[in-house]
Amino acid sequence: MKQNLLDFNLDEMKAFAAALGEKPYRGKQLFQWIHRGAGSFDEMTDLPAAFREKLKEEADITPARVIRRQEDPTDGTRKFLFELADGERVEGVFMAYRYGNSLCVSSQVGCRMGCTFCASALDGFVRNLSAGEMLGQLFAAEREAGERISHIVIMGMGEPFDNYEQVSRFLNLLHDPQGRNMGWRAMTVSTSGIIPGIVAFGKDFPQVNLAISLHRTKDEDRRKIMPVDRKYPLEDLLEAAREYTEKTRRRITFEYALIAGENDGDRDAEDLTRILRGMLCHVNLIPLNEVEEIGKRGSSRVRAQEFADMLESAGVPATVRRRLGSSIDGACGQLRRRR
């Protein structure tokens, strides 16, 4: 089986080149070519022809390919269906902002968290993605879009902290000065609330942005829609969040999906203010993006802004997320394994 070189860090790439009879600096050249987005070994014109032929026999640098592309005509958001080397599929979303282009990356095929409002868990969990398969989504999306991606959010299919080792490797690969050299603050990781992952993340990546999905303010309500709350209840989660902000001095984003008639009332806003007041945080309000099989309805944009205003007036920073990709089922909570 061919080696996926997108999984390799710089030292591993040098060792791989040496194992093929080349000087280690050839591994550095190879690493640099890959992280510039080279789609084939033939593009690597400063590598000896004989080395390139060996690479074709032994290795692969295209572990993800786009098999379907959709574009939202209202905002230009593009959703890609990626097929991996074993035939499994994940989705990713390319979004244009004033500060640059961002890609929403999947970290697992499916998801085992079982959140009742999210399409990613509908077909269950299949497997974790490797760091190279996450990186492959980035390179494939850039080739398909014809534009460079400057930011990534790991908010696609899967729970990143359920695949912590490979997500960590992916972040380090992106940051390598010999590779993409992407700044830590251009990366965001979103979790449903896995406390050991939050603790490790604060130590390992104190400059990477952290987002936590909250969605309800009481355990009895939250665990009905987010089974993870049974293992990591709100009191413990919020304590972990406070410790994270104290140690890193970084603001946490709390994601709150507004579900019409369920968690968007005045009392809900008061309860959210009560549990978050005084914390270094920001609330990202997301009118629930509808999933056909689930049947829940999102709050109106008007109600979402009213909710945000209530939080703001009580001293909790909040904004309503810009809605991108909804006409192509590319918005938050809508990504899935499509066959």
Side-chain angles (χ1 to χ4, degrees), residues 76-225:
T77 297
R78 282 157 272 189
K79 184 172 73 167
F80 303 118
L81 179 62
F82 300 108
E83 185 169 83
L84 308 173
D86 64 355
E88 291 294 345
R89 297 174 179 181
V90 295
E91 289 188 318
V93 182
F94 176 101
M95 298 162 287
Y97 293 96
R98 56 178 175 77
Y99 54 75
N101 296 321
S102 181
L103 183 70
C104 181
V105 176
S106 291
S107 58
Q108 296 178 314
V109 180
C111 183
R112 69 171 110 236
M113 293 299 104
C115 299
T116 62
F117 51 85
C118 181
S120 296
L122 287 174
D123 295 322
F125 172 78
V126 178
R127 67 171 178 85
N128 288 327
L129 268 62
S130 74
E133 288 174 320
M134 291 178 239
L135 200 58
Q137 295 172 54
L138 174 67
F139 295 152
E142 283 188 330
R143 284 192 288 269
E144 188 71 21
E147 300 179 48
R148 185 171 176 83
I149 291 166
S150 59
H151 294 67
I152 63 100
V153 292
I154 309 182
M155 295 183 180
M157 293 170 57
E159 162 57 60
F161 289 167
D162 192 33
N163 187 17
Y164 189 84
E165 181 180 348
Q166 291 301 314
V167 166
S168 297
R169 175 174 276 260
F170 173 51
L171 297 176
N172 282 314
L173 285 171
L174 287 174
H175 186 65
D176 193 303
Q178 297 299 325
R180 301 285 298 195
N181 196 26
M182 185 180 288
W184 293 126
R185 297 195 181 193
M187 311 175 197
T188 301
V189 177
S190 175
T191 178
S192 61
I194 296 181
I195 293 175
I198 294 170
V199 174
F201 190 73
K203 294 176 182 175
D204 298 338
F205 301 99
Q207 295 302 309
V208 176
N209 302 304
L210 175 64
I212 298 176
S213 295
L214 204 57
H215 307 318
R216 298 304 293 260
T217 59
K218 296 184 174 76
D219 285 316
E220 59 267 31
D221 297 324
R222 189 169 185 262
R223 65 185 46 143
K224 290 176 184 176
I225 61 171

Side-chain angles (χ1 to χ4, degrees), residues 195-323:
I195 293 175
I198 294 170
V199 174
F201 190 73
K203 294 176 182 175
D204 298 338
F205 301 99
Q207 295 302 309
V208 176
N209 302 304
L210 175 64
I212 298 176
S213 295
L214 204 57
H215 307 318
R216 298 304 293 260
T217 59
K218 296 184 174 76
D219 285 316
E220 59 267 31
D221 297 324
R222 189 169 185 262
R223 65 185 46 143
K224 290 176 184 176
I225 61 171
M226 298 183 70
V228 68
D229 188 85
R230 296 171 192 151
K231 187 170 185 179
Y232 302 115
L234 271 172
E235 183 178 354
D236 297 340
L237 176 60
L238 293 172
E239 181 60 28
R242 291 188 188 93
E243 291 178 2
Y244 170 91
T245 60
E246 289 170 4
K247 289 178 180 177
T248 65
R249 304 298 180 188
R250 298 295 312 285
R251 181 181 71 172
I252 285 179
T253 295
F254 286 104
E255 296 169 323
Y256 191 92
L258 289 163
I259 307 171
E262 292 191 25
N263 67 347
D264 63 347
D266 290 0
R267 176 59 63 86
D268 296 301
E270 292 168 5
D271 288 341
L272 190 55
T273 298
R274 174 180 50 80
I275 65 175
L276 297 184
R277 184 183 283 121
M279 192 184 300
L280 183 59
C281 69
H282 176 267
V283 178
N284 194 0
L285 297 168
I286 312 163
L288 184 74
N289 297 298
E290 296 178 26
V291 176
E292 183 180 354
E293 298 93 326
I294 293 171
K296 291 182 181 291
R297 185 169 55 85
S299 306
S300 69
R301 301 295 291 187
V302 170
R303 180 54 187 163
Q305 189 57 58
E306 291 171 349
F307 199 96
D309 292 342
M310 284 186 279
L311 296 180
E312 285 277 350
S313 64
V316 177
T319 52
V320 180
R321 178 181 286 179
R322 176 184 167 199
R323 193 172 188 183

